[in-house]
Structure formats: structure tokens, C-alpha cells
Amino acid sequence: MLTRPSPLQLVFDNTAPGLRPVSVPQPQLFPVVESSKSRFFVQVGVFAAQVYRADWRNFVIAIAAVNAFRFIASAWTFFYDVDIDLSTYHVSKLAQISLALGALYLLTAFIQIFGAISTALVCP
């Protein structure tokens, strides 16, 4: 059984002399609907469209800087705990865990710093 192919989407109108673009009606992004519930979702959609057009660079840089500071403070705490574990409690296994956690927090701080610097250096 033969099936019919889908209609062509023409860019130019070939029925009239001279090639002119086909006028295609543009769909509305946010149609106005009368119910209050759907009107709420239309307003949310408009707000989301405005948010996505906004520039997020300064916000991302600030959050990355705060996280880097937080990770450096945590790393410092774990490195301080290494000294306490070795000198006060004489527990070398716990000191090794604290050292590893401090190194991981320091690594994540460097990743956050790298992200903040790379975001700041990208041309808008």
C-alpha cells in the first residue's frame, strides 16, 4: 500500500512569476488565555524568557568565589586536624584521612577559582 509523503515546506513561492518568500504565519510564544490558571503559566513563561536573556556572569563569579573561600576554609580545618590527630591523639590513620580530605577540599577550591577566572576572562 502506498503512503502519501508529507507536504513540502517551501521557502519560495514557485506558483507566481518571480521568486518571493512564502509568508508563513509566526506562532505566538505565549498566547493569551482567559483562565486564571493558564494566565499564571503564561506569566511564568514570560519571566523565564527574561531570566534566560539576563547576564549571569557576575552571579556565577560571585558564587564561585564564595565556594572557593568555603573550600579553602574547610581544607585549612582538615590540615589543622592532621596536627591534632598526630600530636594529641596519636592516631595516624585518622590523620591520613584528614590529610586526604584537606587535599580534596583544596583541589575543589582550585577548580572553583579556575572557574571564576575563566568566566571573568570570557568575552561577553
Side-chain angles (χ1 to χ4, degrees), residues 78-79 82 94-104:
F78 278 109
F79 289 141
V82 169
L94 192 58
Q96 291 174 356
I97 292 173
S98 295
L99 186 65
L101 284 173
L104 288 175

Side-chain angles (χ1 to χ4, degrees), residues 102-113:
L104 288 175
Y105 272 111
L106 203 58
L107 176 69
T108 55
F110 287 141
I111 291 171
Q112 290 291 321
I113 291 169

Side-chain angles (χ1 to χ4, degrees), residues 15-56:
T15 60
L19 294 177
R20 59 176 191 237
V22 175
S23 61
V24 178
Q26 297 294 327
Q28 282 186 326
L29 288 177
F30 304 106
V32 178
V33 185
E34 293 302 319
S35 73
S36 62
K37 186 176 183 181
S38 58
R39 188 171 293 165
F40 169 75
F41 289 115
V42 169
Q43 291 172 351
V44 168
V46 171
F47 175 73
Q50 291 174 353
V51 166
Y52 283 121
R53 281 194 302 256
D55 184 22
W56 287 86

